[in-house]
Amino acid sequence: MAELQSTTDFQGIRLFVVMGVAGCGKSTIGAALADTLGGQFLDGDEFHPESNIEKMSRGDPLTDDDRWPWLERFGYEISQREGLVVGGCSALKRAYRQRITDSAGLPVLFIYLKGSRELIADRMGKRTGHFMPTTLLDSQFATLEVPSADECAIAVDIDSTTDQIVAAITAQIRP
């Protein structure tokens, strides 16, 4: 189910970012992971400026210029909380992950939730009340740069239950 993307020792890391394309389960898995680890969860969507939310709601993909201030704010916000923090943020490109880490000023472990386009599209089609339309899923996959082995990151397959996914993550970060 899970594969280690990095050989980094994760002991001592207190900032975790659950990442992936829209609809992969960042908020659900992030909140469950934070609960399991005794930390707090911050949803990156809450730090988007209104202009980003309006743009995505119209079905327009964000540009890098749209994302930079949001990523910086998110990285800063997760670092300002006490104790263990799990954030949920798409962090689709390596440069975005680096911007979050730089803004946090602390090590951040990225947890990539990987799944097929079909599985994620199905999940997105079933959710309600979210500003991100299914029509932007292709642009999300086109933007995605899967974390490399030289990044502080792990990958977990999402074709399981929430409890199984969280167990796979905790097995990698707290062996």
Side-chain angles (χ1 to χ4, degrees), residues 25-59:
K26 294 179 293 290
S27 297
T28 300
I29 299 303
L33 180 63
D35 187 53
T36 298
L37 298 175
Q40 58 185 304
F41 176 71
L42 293 179
D43 192 329
D45 286 344
E46 295 177 18
F47 300 101
H48 269 296
E50 189 61 35
S51 58
N52 284 5
I53 292 172
E54 289 172 7
K55 192 171 187 177
M56 290 182 285
S57 295
R58 289 192 309 266

Side-chain angles (χ1 to χ4, degrees), residues 3 16 24 29 66 70 79 86 95 100 106 117 120 123 130 151-152 155:
E3 68 185 48
F16 301 87
C24 69
I29 299 303
D66 295 324
W70 166 61
S79 72
V86 177
I100 291 167
L106 296 168
R117 188 204 178 288
I120 294 170
R123 289 180 180 182
H130 197 279
E151 292 183 72
C152 186

Side-chain angles (χ1 to χ4, degrees), residues 3-10 19 94 97 108-110 112 145-155 172:
E3 68 185 48
L4 188 61
Q5 289 272 342
S6 171
T7 58
T8 303
D9 177 10
F10 305 129
M19 59 153 293
R94 182 183 189 115
R97 297 186 287 276
V108 177
L109 174 63
F110 290 90
Y112 168 48
E145 295 173 1
V146 174
S148 329
D150 66 334
E151 292 183 72
C152 186
I154 61 172
Q172 291 188 69

